[in-house]
Amino acid sequence: MGVESALFTLDQRRPLSGRARVLIAVCLVLYAVVTASMVTVATTPLQAVTWVPLCRSLLFAVITGISAVLLYGQARTTQQRGYVWLAGGYLYVALMNLVAPLFEVGAFRPGEALIGSAQSASYLLYLWVWYVPIGLVYSAWLLRPSVFDSDRRPHLRGGLVPRVLTVCALAVVSLVVILWAVPYLPLMVSADGKYTYLNTATSLVWLVYAVVATLVLIVLAMRYQTVIHRWMSAMLLIILGHAVVGALTQPWSLGSYYNAALTVVSSSLLLIVLLSTITQINQATNIAATQDELTNSASRLSLTRGIDEEIGRHRVCALLWISIDGFEAVTAAIGPQQGDELLRVLADRFESVAGNVGRVGRLGNSEFGIVVSSAVDVPPDSQQPIVTDFAKAALQATRKSITLSGVTTWVSCSVGIASTQQQASTTTELLQYADLAMRAARNSGGDRFRWFNEEIGEADIGQAMLRQKLNRSIRNEEFDIDYQPIIVTGTGQLVGFEALVRWLHDGRRISASEFISLAERTGQVVSIGRLVVRKLQSQVDQLLELLPPDGFVTFNLSAPELADDVIIDFLCNDSFVHQSGSLIVEITESIEMEPRSKARLNLRVLQQVGYRIAIDDFGSGFSNFTFLEEIRPELLKIDRTIVVRAGAGAKGGLAFLSAAVQVARSLDCAVLAEGIELADEESVVATLDIDYMQGFRFGRPAPLDSFTQEKQSGSELPSASLPVPRTEFGVVHQ
């Protein structure tokens, strides 16, 4: 039996096999025959044996008490309130039967009870047997399975201890009431020890009540087909037979002894069934925890526990973290079922690679691990070649073609390796370092392996820490906007600003170049974009007051930001859209937007409400002229690398710059040259038909306050005559 078929819960749908149906039918027939035969001789009087009811009560109390403990365990595991009711009922029955011998006449004292009387014993019995049918039915209803929405079932809230104490308190109250009220109630047992008419009538009424409850429970069991519903149905059927015989008997008759034996035997059998089923569940759960159900290789939990044990035994462990390259794309092409089969084939191949030396486990959706351990005194230069050979074998095994349903598929993998002998000292570190090495191999193109080293660790751990810092800053809204002036070519008149996001961290205003690429990879760019557009909305009126009537403000939106409805709705609301004619949305020429993508549709929405579009960094990638024709931008911003090359007199620099201008004119849009820092660059731009200029030469990015203060003082806007840091071709990140 596989893991998937073995794993189940008591309240999960589990249809009976044909063999089980036959066995249940045979048991029901035998039980019906024995009970019917007993009815014919139930009234036969026998000698009074006082220890029989004493043993029956104590044994039944122990059996039902153990059942209650098991059911409370299920309540704690599954958090289902139905198990609490069922366990509470069993605990109540156990407590009532535990004290029942104290009320039995002759159990401890000849001719009398320790407390109460035969009347008390009879009422005590009816007190709990009337609860059992309705308690079982209500528990069965609470435990009905829900395949699609498990939250519809009542869940346990709070701890189990208060519920157990409540049942114990209820049992104490029941005993007190019995002792106090019995002298005032009608007789159930006559002076000569016989059951009265009231006792017999009560038994018959209870019998009808039990029949109805049994039928309801059988219907629920047939409908829901769970183990727990069948188990409760069996309990009520046995109680029903007990009631049929009991309705005809008198004390110390054959029927009374039969019922005493039936109570102990049947409850013991049901306890064995419950215990056996829970044992099967625990075994299946243990298998599921240690074995991956899809590939039958070790689970991640089992693999990590194995590493813990090896480290605890002072052995050296090396972990190969294997990730299938582009598995999502492969699955999209061949289908999810074939993707699962692909993983099973690869798992088998990795098992062959590991042989008897390594252990294979599944670490994630399309990720596997191979653990190789060796003695602690093995020199590193001896272990590393062995582990490297494992990595090469894993790569080779993955590269072999795989035929699934007649279709041949090829895949590759990226392998990261870390060792407790060289880098890691704990299981957590080993997993982390092997994962980082795998990512480095994947980022290098995949289909290769990498050993973890400090360089990899510093880069990836640094990015992980940066991501956490960004998360904290997003929650605290620690982002602001700097604005860089845009001037008219030739006149030098201020005509616009470009909005540039700044991260306020550790007392610094960090430029986007230091964090925005990571934010785009992690998806944090959308949250940052939401903060930026809100900030821009609060400042746009002040910005436009600094500009001439035809002035404008540009701001950048990435593809994820364009696809975000929150950002688009904000840009289209009344408090922002009234300035849309003066706002220009910048998108890069390399932006990835399918014709019918959400980002493309939202870009069209922004154009329809009045926003203009600019192409940023034009010339830095491969231009899609069809895309440019469809977008119809109103501004083309030529990338600073082209401007710098032209200003430096580099070969082809001026030609590239002139070509970019011609493209803009063919699209009938304005042209802006970015990144101008030197006089030579300004001079080259001034000789061409370029409308606007932007760069450190005309003003560094600065907060809005610096511009408003300059205006109030009557000074000119800040210009950039300061030295500018340069890299290759003079390119700097603004």
Side-chain angles (χ1 to χ4, degrees):
M1 181 181 293
V3 174
E4 185 174 0
S5 60
L7 189 60
F8 67 99
T9 60
L10 287 175
D11 54 303
Q12 177 184 333
R13 294 180 187 273
R14 191 170 173 84
L16 289 171
S17 63
R19 182 179 178 182
R21 292 174 185 273
V22 171
L23 180 61
I24 290 175
V26 170
C27 291
L28 288 175
V29 170
L30 288 176
Y31 178 65
V33 170
V34 172
T35 301
S37 62
M38 183 55 58
V39 167
T40 61
V41 294
T43 57
T44 304
L46 294 176
Q47 181 180 357
V49 182
T50 55
W51 60 264
V52 171
L54 172 65
C55 292
R56 190 270 308 165
S57 295
L58 293 178
L59 287 173
F60 190 53
V62 171
I63 294 168
T64 52
I66 295 173
S67 300
V69 171
L70 293 175
L71 293 169
Y72 274 126
Q74 290 298 302
R76 184 181 296 277
T77 302
T78 65
Q79 293 295 299
Q80 294 298 317
R81 194 149 51 90
Y83 287 114
V84 177
W85 277 86
L86 188 57
Y90 265 80
L91 179 59
Y92 182 75
V93 171
L95 293 174
M96 291 295 97
N97 278 270
L98 190 62
V99 299
L102 302 178
F103 293 81
E104 291 287 346
V105 175
F108 296 100
R109 294 176 182 174
E112 61 178 322
L114 279 180
I115 59 174
S117 61
Q119 293 288 110
S120 304
S122 186
Y123 275 106
L124 183 68
L125 172 66
Y126 281 114
L127 195 63
W128 65 262
V129 298
W130 275 86
Y131 165 79
V132 171
I134 190 61
L136 289 176
V137 171
Y138 183 59
S139 299
W141 174 251
L142 292 179
L143 289 169
R144 64 193 185 280
S146 179
V147 177
F148 300 106
D149 185 9
S150 60
D151 289 336
R152 292 174 57 189
R153 293 186 295 175
H155 281 60
L156 177 63
R157 295 180 179 178
L160 291 175
V161 174
R163 290 167 169 80
V164 173
L165 294 178
T166 300
V167 175
C168 294
L170 182 61
V172 172
V173 171
S174 300
L175 294 175
V176 172
V177 170
I178 288 292
L179 291 173
W180 173 79
V182 162
Y184 306 100
L185 296 175
L187 293 178
M188 283 286 186
V189 181
S190 62
D192 58 357
K194 300 293 185 180
Y195 294 139
T196 64
Y197 174 77
L198 176 62
N199 198 322
T200 304
T202 304
S203 297
L204 292 174
V205 173
W206 184 88
L207 180 60
V208 175
Y209 158 64
V211 168
V212 174
T214 303
L215 292 175
V216 172
L217 199 50
I218 290 174
V219 170
L220 293 177
M222 294 176 64
R223 178 180 178 182
Y224 298 129
Q225 301 185 49
T226 72
V227 174
I228 193 64
H229 283 86
R230 296 190 191 105
W231 187 80
M232 288 188 284
S233 298
M235 170 61 73
L236 262 187
L237 281 171
I238 292 171
I239 291 175
L240 189 60
H242 183 285
V244 170
V245 176
L248 304 174
T249 62
Q250 289 290 331
W252 313 118
S253 64
L254 182 58
S256 66
Y257 283 105
Y258 167 76
N259 273 348
L262 177 65
T263 299
V264 175
V265 173
S266 61
S267 58
S268 299
L269 290 175
L270 287 176
L271 175 60
I272 292 171
V273 170
L274 180 63
L275 194 58
S276 173
T277 305
I278 292 176
T279 301
Q280 291 180 38
I281 293 173
N282 291 337
Q283 289 175 345
T285 302
N286 290 335
I287 293 174
T290 57
Q291 181 177 329
D292 179 62
E293 61 179 316
L294 178 63
T295 63
N296 288 329
S297 58
S299 67
R300 180 174 181 136
L301 176 63
S302 177
L303 204 66
T304 54
R305 283 180 176 174
I307 297 173
D308 286 336
E309 292 175 1
E310 292 297 288
I311 293 176
R313 294 165 57 192
H314 304 290
R315 292 177 64 83
V316 176
C317 280
L319 172 63
L320 287 76
W321 191 301
I322 305 170
S323 176
I324 311 304
D325 296 330
F327 181 73
E328 291 183 359
V330 174
T331 304
I334 65 177
Q337 291 184 340
Q338 296 300 324
D340 290 345
E341 183 60 31
L342 174 64
L343 291 177
R344 283 190 281 267
V345 172
L346 291 174
D348 291 340
R349 291 184 179 181
F350 295 145
E351 291 283 358
S352 299
V353 168
N356 297 325
V357 179
R359 187 183 185 195
V360 178
R362 190 177 177 202
L363 297 172
N365 180 36
S366 58
E367 297 179 341
F368 295 87
I370 299 179
V371 177
V372 182
S373 61
S374 58
V376 73
D377 56 353
V378 174
D381 56 354
S382 299
Q383 188 212 37
Q384 186 164 343
I386 296 174
V387 178
T388 299
D389 288 340
F390 271 99
K392 293 177 179 178
L395 289 171
Q396 192 61 36
T398 311
R399 291 169 185 154
K400 294 179 182 179
S401 63
I402 300 173
T403 302
L404 304 171
S405 300
V407 178
T408 302
T409 302
W410 290 268
V411 294
S412 62
C413 68
S414 301
V415 182
I417 314 171
S419 171
T420 58
Q421 192 174 36
Q422 295 169 282
Q423 298 97 5
S425 59
T426 65
T427 302
T428 300
E429 289 181 350
L430 188 68
L431 290 167
Q432 180 185 10
Y433 296 164
D435 182 29
L436 291 175
M438 179 276 295
R439 294 176 188 274
R442 187 173 60 195
N443 293 336
S444 299
D447 195 22
R448 67 194 67 202
F449 70 88
R450 288 282 300 273
W451 275 87
F452 177 81
N453 55 46
E454 292 184 0
E455 181 181 348
I456 292 175
E458 290 176 359
D460 287 272
I461 293 174
Q463 286 206 350
M465 293 177 63
L466 180 60
R467 179 176 181 177
Q468 293 299 319
K469 292 177 181 178
L470 280 176
N471 272 335
R472 184 168 58 250
S473 293
I474 289 171
R475 290 195 301 270
N476 297 333
E477 300 187 5
E478 296 172 343
F479 293 88
D480 199 2
I481 302 176
D482 280 355
Y483 299 95
Q484 186 170 32
I486 299 171
I487 67 167
V488 178
T489 304
T491 68
Q493 180 189 10
L494 178 67
V495 71
F497 290 106
E498 179 181 4
L500 301 167
V501 61
R502 294 293 184 259
W503 179 19
L504 308 179
H505 182 62
D506 290 339
R508 300 167 53 212
R509 297 178 71 85
I510 302 175
S511 68
S513 61
E514 297 187 38
F515 65 87
I516 206 67
S517 59
L518 174 64
E520 288 178 343
R521 291 197 301 272
T522 61
Q524 294 168 305
V525 69
V526 174
S527 298
I528 295 173
R530 293 176 181 178
L531 297 175
V532 170
V533 293
R534 287 205 300 269
K535 187 76 171 181
L536 179 61
Q537 190 272 336
S538 68
Q539 297 181 344
V540 66
D541 289 336
Q542 292 176 271
L543 285 168
L544 293 176
E545 288 177 1
L546 300 172
L547 301 173
D550 60 344
F552 55 85
V553 177
T554 72
F555 61 99
N556 188 279
L557 288 181
S558 63
E561 289 172 301
L562 280 170
D564 183 59
D565 286 336
V566 174
I567 292 177
I568 301 304
D569 290 345
F570 189 82
L571 292 174
C572 293
N573 67 29
D574 293 338
S575 62
F576 211 159
V577 77
H578 74 284
Q579 298 286 15
S580 61
S582 301
L583 295 171
I584 299 179
V585 177
E586 295 186 22
I587 59 174
T588 60
E589 64 167 330
S590 59
I591 191 170
E592 297 182 4
M593 288 192 296
E594 296 295 330
R596 296 185 180 275
S597 67
K598 190 68 171 294
R600 180 73 73 90
L601 294 175
N602 283 342
L603 185 63
R604 190 173 298 121
V605 169
L606 293 179
Q607 287 180 296
Q608 290 172 351
V609 299
Y611 288 93
R612 292 181 285 173
I613 305 300
I615 301 298
D616 192 21
D617 298 332
F618 183 77
S620 61
F622 297 96
S623 299
N624 185 332
F625 290 100
T626 302
F627 174 72
L628 294 177
E629 282 285 347
E630 292 178 359
I631 296 299
R632 303 302 300 180
E634 297 195 19
L635 178 64
L636 209 64
K637 301 183 71 174
I638 299 175
D639 188 70
R640 54 179 164 262
T641 57
I642 298 177
V643 174
V644 171
R645 288 178 61 88
K651 183 179 180 180
L654 183 59
F656 278 120
L657 183 58
S658 299
V661 174
Q662 291 301 316
V663 171
R665 295 311 176 200
S666 69
L667 295 170
D668 194 26
C669 65
V671 186
L672 185 152
E674 293 185 289
I676 298 175
E677 303 165 5
L678 304 177
D680 291 342
E681 296 163 0
E682 180 183 359
S683 298
V684 170
V685 170
T687 63
L688 299 175
D689 187 18
I690 295 177
D691 302 284
Y692 309 114
M693 294 187 291
Q694 178 184 349
F696 285 171
R697 184 167 179 78
F698 314 110
R700 291 178 178 275
L704 174 61
D705 291 345
S706 64
F707 296 107
T708 56
Q709 290 171 6
E710 290 290 339
K711 181 179 180 181
Q712 291 171 1
S713 65
S715 303
E716 295 182 1
L717 291 175
S719 60
S721 57
L722 301 174
V724 177
R726 302 179 63 82
T727 62
E728 185 180 5
F729 300 124
V731 178
V732 296
H733 293 295
Q734 298 180 14

